[in-house]
Every structure is written in C-alpha cells, then in structure tokens.
Amino acid sequence: MSATGARESAGARGAPRGGPWWWARRRSAVLDVVLALASTVECVLEGIPFAHEAGLPELVGMLLGLVAGPVLLLRRRWPVVVVLVSIAVMPAEMGALLGVIGLYTLAASDVPRRITGLLAGMTVVGTLITTYVSMQQDVVPQEDFNPPVWFVPAMAVAVGLVMTAPPVLWGLYVGARRRLVESLRERADGLERELSLLADRAEERAEWARNEERTRIAREMHDVVAHRVSLMVVHAAALQAVALKDPEKASKNAALVGDMGRQALTELREMLGVLRTAEGAAVRGASGAGAPERLVAVADQVSSRPEPEAVSVEPEGDGPSLAELGDLVGQSRAAGMVVELSVQGAHDGAGAAGGRYAAGVEQAVYRVVQEALTNVHKHAPGARARVRLAHRGDEVAVQVENGPSERGATDAGLPSGGNGLVGMRERVTALGGVFVSGPTEAGGFRVSAVVPVGVAGAGG
C-alpha cells in the first residue's frame, strides 16, 4: 500500500457515515425508532390498567405511556436518562422493554462503571419491590394452591435478577468488544501512518543519496578527465608553436599528447566499468528480493543509519596512490611547468595495510595535487609551482603553491566550470580533514589540505 493509500484508508475508517442527529448510521436510527415505537405501544397498553387501579381516567394512563415510551430514542445519546425514566415508571408496572434496552445501552456505553452499577442496583430494587407487591396481591391461598411463605419473595428476586442481570452482562460484553475493536483499529491506523512516514522518509533519503551520487560522479569525472585533457591542451599549444621550428620537439610533444589521451581513456574506462558493476549488482538485488524483504531492508536502513551513505565511484585500492605523485609532477614538467616536489617524514603506512595509508586518504591527497596542478596550467601558465607533502604520523599534509604567471596572462584559454576547489574541499572534509585555499601575497595561489590517516574504510 502506498503512502497516499494508507492515509486515505485511515481517513475513510475514521469518517462518520452521515446518520441524522447523534446516530452514526441510518440503520441505527431506524432500529431506535422501531424500538421506541414498540416501547410506546407497550407503555400505552400497560398505562390503561394502571389508570383503572389508580382510579384515574384511561387517557391519563395512555398519556403517561406516550411520554415514557419514546424516551428510548435517546438511549445512544443519554442512556442514564432512559434508565432513570424506566425506574420512575416501575410503580405503574410499565416500561419493561424500556428498562431492559436502557440497561443494555448503559452497560455498553462509556459511562463510568460506578454509575452503571448504581442504576442497575436501583433497577433490581425497584423491580423486586414492584413484583413483590403485585404477586402478594395476586397470590391468594386456595385449596389446591397454597404456596409457602418464601415463594413470593423468591419469585420477586428471580424476576428482578432476570430483568436486570442479562442486559447488563450482555452490554458489558458488547462494550468491551467494541472498545477492543476500536483500540485495534486505532493501532492499525497508527501503524499505517508510521509506515507512511517511513516510506516518505525512505524516499527522501533515496533522493538525497541519488543527488549525492550525482555530485560524486561529477567530481570523479572532473578529477579523472580534466587534468589529462588540460595537459593535452597545453602540449597541443606547444606542439603548434614548435611544429616548424623544432620538429624533434614537436614529435616529442605529440607523443606526450597521445600518452595522456590513452591514460585519460583508461581511467575513464575503469570508472565506467565500476559504475556498470555497481548498477548491475543493484538491479540484481532489486529483482531477486521480494516485496517483504525490500520493505524490511528499507526499514532497517531507515532505523539504523542516521544519514545515507553514498557509493564510492572509485574502488578502494584501484585508484591513484601517493607513490604516483612523482609521475604526476613529471607530467606537468613535461608540459613545460617548473614544479618542485618535496616530501617530509616517513611514509610508514600507519592506519593501512601493506605499507600504505587507507586508499581513500591516498586518493584524496593525490586528487588535491592533481587538481591544483591543473589549475596552475589553466590560470597561471608559465608560473613556477611547489608541491610539499608531509607525513606526520597520524595525518598527512599537502600544499601546492604557485607564483604569478611569468607570461603575463591570467588564463591559458582552458574552460573551467569552477568545480575544482569545491571537489577538493568535499574530498578532504569527507575524511574529517581540513582544506584551505586562497591567493598568496606574492600574487600566486596556495592550496593546503590536512587529512587524518586513521580513517577506517575510507573510500575515494
């Protein structure tokens, strides 16, 4: 059931059926009208002998019946009033149906039990007294029928209990059953609302995860492709400049352009392969699991994870490492940039197996240096750059700083989407590190990052 369907179902169950006045259903109103008519007829017929015995006109007894009988219409709204009226007309020996139905409705309602017990006791006493007096007058000792002394009191008690106990007990049972059903219904409605909220929350988190993954893929594509293509553009410009003057250097630059293009295609192919593998696994998991299993999985994810985790595009262990920084700097040198690389401290591999840091740490530091050098090619052609890497035991720090452009230009004509610094910051902060970037006093630019090396299971 969808979230909308659950809400509509819950609303439909709690909505009234549109009965008149205080009745929830029309059939309830029809039933009460029929019972009230029967009670009125009974009271009118019983009012006639009462009027004869009391020495009153028959019309008075009939009017009393007409007043008392229709009170049964109020049994669902004011059951206490119905029982009190039935007790009031007991001396006139009328209203048996009124009393029975009134006691049943009172016991089944939400009226406090002490009030129900009090009115039921008053009904028993009234019935007992009325029955005793009536039978005492009717039972006359005869030759063939001479009842014992206890007969009349016993019959009065029996009549009082028969007229009172069954409707009260049945009403208590019906009321308890009704309250149980309402409690179960409210619980079901609450579960449906909770399920609806969980479904909405799961949808929101899934959308958040999709957006996060789009951002991650865009950042990886930028890191993998932008650096290589930027170097290819720089080498192509140098090739164009020296093609006629120095054919040997032009041939060397052309070979470099080809190598960088092949490297870019290789990295792009590896990334797309990882994406296809992850997508295929997700599709197989979705198709192989049934609806209950998927619902349980969603509920477990919602309850156990405070925030959804994005899937890493670059597989752990297959991405670039700090050992490849020399090759990265060499590519920029081959493109004509003067780059100085210095390493401080020992790379003892703390926090990682096999003499390496966690793969996510090494990949993040590598990508920071790669993007910083790409920005130097783009925005400060001809500028000198310096790359510093420091191993500090529980953290690794990197700084890339370049001076002002020696060619007097601020841009090499390469397109820029403004995502490089954003991607670097996201990578570093995701690992709990610190990232700072900004211009220097000498007119250059500096990028600095400090990444803790004890990040367990950090991905790229």
Side-chain angles (χ1 to χ4, degrees):
M1 179 183 294
S2 64
T4 304
R7 286 190 290 266
E8 290 178 353
S9 176
R13 281 207 297 261
R17 301 295 182 86
W21 293 347
W22 51 81
W23 287 283
R25 301 178 180 88
R26 287 187 173 85
R27 64 180 183 180
S28 300
V30 173
L31 175 62
D32 286 356
V33 169
V34 172
L35 292 176
L37 289 176
S39 176
T40 302
V41 172
E42 177 200 359
C43 291
V44 169
L45 294 179
E46 292 174 344
I48 295 175
F50 167 73
H52 290 165
E53 294 177 2
L56 300 174
E58 294 184 356
L59 182 60
V60 175
M62 297 176 64
L63 289 177
L64 180 60
L66 288 175
V67 172
V71 175
L72 201 57
L73 287 172
L74 308 176
R75 71 184 187 95
R76 298 180 190 270
R77 185 68 179 272
W78 296 293
V80 175
V81 173
V82 176
V83 176
L84 290 176
V85 171
S86 69
I87 295 174
V89 298
M90 278 184 182
E93 298 184 1
M94 66 171 61
L97 181 62
L98 184 67
V100 171
I101 300 299
L103 285 175
Y104 161 78
T105 306
L106 179 66
S109 66
D110 295 330
V111 175
R113 290 291 168 256
R114 61 179 183 275
I115 298 179
T116 302
L118 176 62
L119 294 178
M122 293 173 61
T123 303
V124 171
V125 173
T127 305
L128 190 150
I129 295 174
T130 303
T131 305
Y132 179 83
V133 173
S134 176
M135 294 186 66
Q136 192 71 28
Q137 295 174 356
D138 296 339
V139 175
V140 179
Q142 300 177 3
E143 295 181 359
D144 57 346
F145 181 71
N146 188 13
V149 178
W150 54 265
F151 177 77
V152 174
M155 290 299 297
V157 172
V159 171
L161 292 178
V162 169
M163 295 295 293
T164 306
V168 171
L169 294 178
W170 183 250
L172 291 175
Y173 166 75
V174 172
R177 182 176 178 274
R178 181 184 303 158
R179 284 186 289 272
L180 176 61
V181 171
E182 291 177 354
S183 175
L184 294 176
R185 181 177 299 165
E186 291 176 359
R187 185 176 180 182
D189 292 342
L191 290 176
E192 287 184 357
R193 287 191 295 269
E194 184 177 356
L195 179 61
S196 174
L197 292 176
L198 286 176
D200 293 341
R201 191 176 180 186
E203 291 176 1
E204 292 175 0
R205 293 198 171 194
E207 182 64 25
W208 184 93
R210 285 192 292 268
N211 293 335
E212 184 69 13
E213 192 59 22
R214 292 190 190 100
T215 303
R216 179 68 63 89
I217 293 174
R219 182 168 64 244
E220 296 293 341
M221 295 288 289
H222 179 273
D223 291 342
V224 170
V225 178
H227 178 73
R228 304 292 184 189
V229 174
S230 298
L231 292 180
M232 290 171 63
V233 172
V234 173
H235 280 290
L239 176 62
Q240 183 180 8
V242 301
L244 298 179
K245 299 179 182 179
D246 192 347
E248 183 178 354
K249 187 174 182 180
S251 176
K252 183 179 179 180
N253 287 341
L256 288 174
V257 171
D259 291 339
M260 291 177 184
R262 283 188 290 272
Q263 292 175 3
L265 289 175
T266 299
E267 293 189 14
L268 184 60
R269 188 179 297 111
E270 291 176 354
M271 181 189 305
L272 294 177
V274 172
L275 288 175
R276 291 194 184 98
T277 302
E279 181 181 359
V283 171
R284 287 194 298 272
S287 61
E293 287 77 3
R294 288 198 299 270
L295 181 59
V296 171
V298 170
D300 290 342
Q301 292 173 1
V302 170
S303 61
S304 63
R305 294 192 306 178
E307 291 294 341
E309 300 176 359
V311 179
S312 175
V313 174
E314 195 167 48
E316 183 173 347
D318 294 340
S321 63
L322 295 181
E324 302 176 32
L325 280 183
D327 297 336
L328 179 65
V329 171
Q331 293 172 3
S332 293
R333 288 172 180 168
M337 181 188 299
V338 179
V339 186
E340 175 188 349
L341 173 62
S342 62
V343 180
Q344 300 176 359
H347 184 185
D348 56 2
R356 291 184 56 183
Y357 296 130
V361 174
E362 298 214 1
Q363 292 165 12
V365 174
Y366 181 93
R367 294 302 188 193
V368 168
V369 176
Q370 182 185 57
E371 181 60 28
L373 294 178
T374 301
N375 287 340
V376 176
H377 284 292
K378 288 182 179 181
H379 307 297
R384 300 172 63 91
R386 181 167 54 184
V387 179
R388 296 177 179 177
L389 180 66
H391 302 283
R392 301 175 180 174
D394 58 347
E395 64 184 16
V396 58
V398 64
Q399 183 182 89
V400 181
E401 181 179 352
N402 65 273
S405 175
E406 296 180 355
R407 301 179 185 177
T410 58
D411 201 320
L414 295 172
S416 175
N419 297 317
L421 294 177
V422 174
M424 287 189 282
R425 183 182 303 277
E426 289 176 350
R427 281 184 178 276
V428 174
T429 55
L431 297 176
V434 178
F435 178 82
V436 179
S437 63
T440 62
E441 296 180 357
F445 199 83
R446 181 186 298 118
V447 171
S448 303
V450 178
V451 182
V453 299
V455 179

